Amino acid sequence: MDSQNIPHLIPTFLSSKTLRLEQICQSKFQPRNYFNEVAMEELAASIKEHGILQPLLVRPIAGNQYELVAGERRYKAAQALGLTVVPVTVREMTDPEVLQYALVENLQREDLNPVEETEGILQLLEMRLQKDRDWIISLLNSIANGKRGLTGSAVRNRELTDRAVRKQEQQLIQDVFATIGRLTLESFRTHRLPLLKLPPELFEALRYGRIKWTKAKEIAKLESESERLALLERAIAQSLSLRQIQQIVREKKTPRNSAQQQREVEGLLQQFTHFKAWDNPDKRYKMESLLTELKELLTEQD
């Protein structure tokens, strides 16, 4: 990782040395859950032949123990090889510094899966803004609404949005995405946040690298949990392509008749008429976002 991208995360240098592996414990701030087995085997083979070329980053904790900040793949490979001593760089770091460094170090890697990437970015935003996840997501939607160039009756809502999203918060968000350097705010909101709504079985499969995001999104179109689970396991076991999954989903989905769809729309309209949460900022922002998407859909049909 290029440390020039995150100068405020790099604490004062202490020392480079070697430590016994037993002196190092894994960090609770590690955002990675999945490690590709093939890549790990290749790394272990490289370390066996050439040694650990880049020291692990650690910070001192109680006694003569150290907490791992960066280099977990090298740490795990060293364990697998039975190494007893590893090279390290020791730095004094606070908990927030450890969390930020670990997140940015991992987010700038090319092999994070979409769930790790999404949760890491949200965690970093939560920490920078000192807000919870729901508030962060609402804020991102608010910023998007403010940039759509709304007109007519939506002008008032945009003014509310502009007041709600302070310039300082927007700048902090832009700084996070500039630091990561891989996703824009809009691409993150459009292509990453939706995966948080995946059914649990698909979300977990995606988290642990069992299936790709595009395939999980397609399987999620099935309303039946049993059908989703069956197709998920089949897709993994048989390495089904996205096109094959799409074909299976099309065959399984039974279109609802127009009368049933009309009744659902009328029911939603009735609920919307009695919607009582406009004074709640989070719910208001979400509703504004949904209304914008609905307007765009209706415009496309005209």
Side-chain angles (χ1 to χ4, degrees):
M1 179 178 58
D2 183 358
S3 62
Q4 292 180 351
N5 289 338
I6 50 171
H8 61 291
L9 301 186
I10 306 300
T12 303
F13 172 77
L14 284 184
S15 64
S16 290
K17 56 191 295 184
T18 59
L19 289 175
R20 298 191 311 279
L21 207 57
E22 63 191 35
Q23 292 179 266
I24 303 172
C25 64
Q26 292 178 269
S27 174
K28 61 183 178 182
F29 299 117
Q30 171 57 246
R32 294 180 63 84
N33 295 291
Y34 169 70
F35 294 85
N36 183 277
E37 292 183 6
V38 174
M40 288 298 299
E41 290 174 359
E42 292 174 350
L43 176 60
S46 175
I47 290 176
K48 185 175 182 179
E49 181 177 358
H50 304 290
I52 298 178
L53 302 180
Q54 182 181 358
L56 285 62
L57 178 61
V58 300
R59 67 165 176 168
I61 51 177
N64 196 28
Q65 296 294 305
Y66 297 80
E67 182 180 34
L68 183 64
V69 176
E72 183 156 1
R73 293 174 71 250
R74 281 163 278 152
Y75 173 82
K76 287 181 175 294
Q79 284 183 318
L81 291 170
L83 300 184
T84 57
V85 176
V86 292
V88 300
T89 296
V90 182
R91 299 183 189 275
E92 290 284 358
M93 304 179 77
T94 64
D95 284 354
E97 287 173 336
V98 170
L99 175 57
Q100 291 185 64
Y101 191 97
L103 284 171
V104 175
E105 194 266 348
N106 279 284
L107 287 169
Q108 288 185 335
R109 296 180 59 88
E110 294 295 329
D111 58 349
L112 276 181
N113 70 49
V115 170
E116 292 173 331
E117 186 176 60
T118 302
E119 293 189 328
I121 290 174
L122 286 173
Q123 192 175 5
L124 190 52
L125 288 171
E126 290 169 19
M127 184 179 59
R128 294 282 183 86
L129 294 172
Q130 295 296 299
K131 299 289 185 177
D132 64 31
R133 178 166 297 188
D134 289 341
W135 192 95
I136 295 294
I137 293 173
S138 294
L139 180 60
L140 297 181
N141 288 328
S142 297
I143 293 174
N145 287 341
K147 292 181 178 180
R148 290 182 184 274
L150 303 177
T151 58
S153 61
V155 170
R156 182 178 63 84
N157 289 336
R158 178 172 179 175
E159 290 174 350
L160 290 171
T161 295
D162 290 341
R163 288 199 298 269
V165 183
R166 297 194 299 270
K167 289 184 178 180
Q168 182 181 4
E169 292 167 341
Q170 292 191 59
Q171 187 58 54
L172 285 171
I173 291 172
Q174 294 296 343
D175 288 345
V176 167
F177 283 96
T179 298
I180 296 165
R182 293 184 57 196
L183 289 170
T184 65
L185 187 158
E186 184 59 22
S187 64
F188 175 74
R189 191 187 73 85
T190 305
H191 301 296
R192 287 293 181 264
L193 288 183
L195 68 83
L196 298 177
K197 298 179 181 180
L198 282 174
E201 68 277 3
L202 293 171
F203 185 80
E204 289 304 305
L206 186 61
R207 177 197 291 277
Y208 292 105
R210 300 180 67 210
I211 195 168
K212 291 184 177 180
W213 160 229
T214 52
K215 296 180 180 181
K217 184 168 60 172
E218 190 65 27
I219 296 173
K221 293 179 181 179
L222 295 175
E223 295 183 3
S224 166
E225 180 181 355
S226 61
E227 288 186 342
R228 288 197 306 269
L229 283 169
L231 181 52
L232 172 62
E233 295 304 323
R234 180 181 172 187
I236 294 170
Q238 299 179 14
S239 299
L240 297 181
S241 67
L242 176 60
R243 181 171 297 182
Q244 289 174 313
I245 292 173
Q246 289 172 332
Q247 178 63 32
I248 294 171
V249 170
R250 280 195 296 269
E251 292 172 356
K252 287 184 174 293
K253 288 191 67 175
T254 303
R256 291 168 294 174
N257 61 55
S258 57
Q260 181 182 357
Q261 291 178 329
Q262 181 66 32
R263 287 195 297 271
E264 290 181 4
V265 171
E266 292 173 354
L268 287 173
L269 286 173
Q270 186 174 7
Q271 293 179 43
F272 182 77
T273 302
H274 300 288
F275 188 61
K276 301 292 186 181
W278 289 107
D279 292 333
N280 183 311
D282 289 345
K283 291 186 177 180
R284 187 182 69 239
Y285 298 151
K286 292 177 182 178
M287 184 62 71
E288 289 172 354
S289 179
L290 290 171
L291 285 172
T292 300
E293 292 179 13
L294 180 59
K295 289 177 183 178
E296 291 177 349
L297 177 62
L298 294 173
T299 300
E300 292 173 0
Q301 290 181 339
D302 291 341

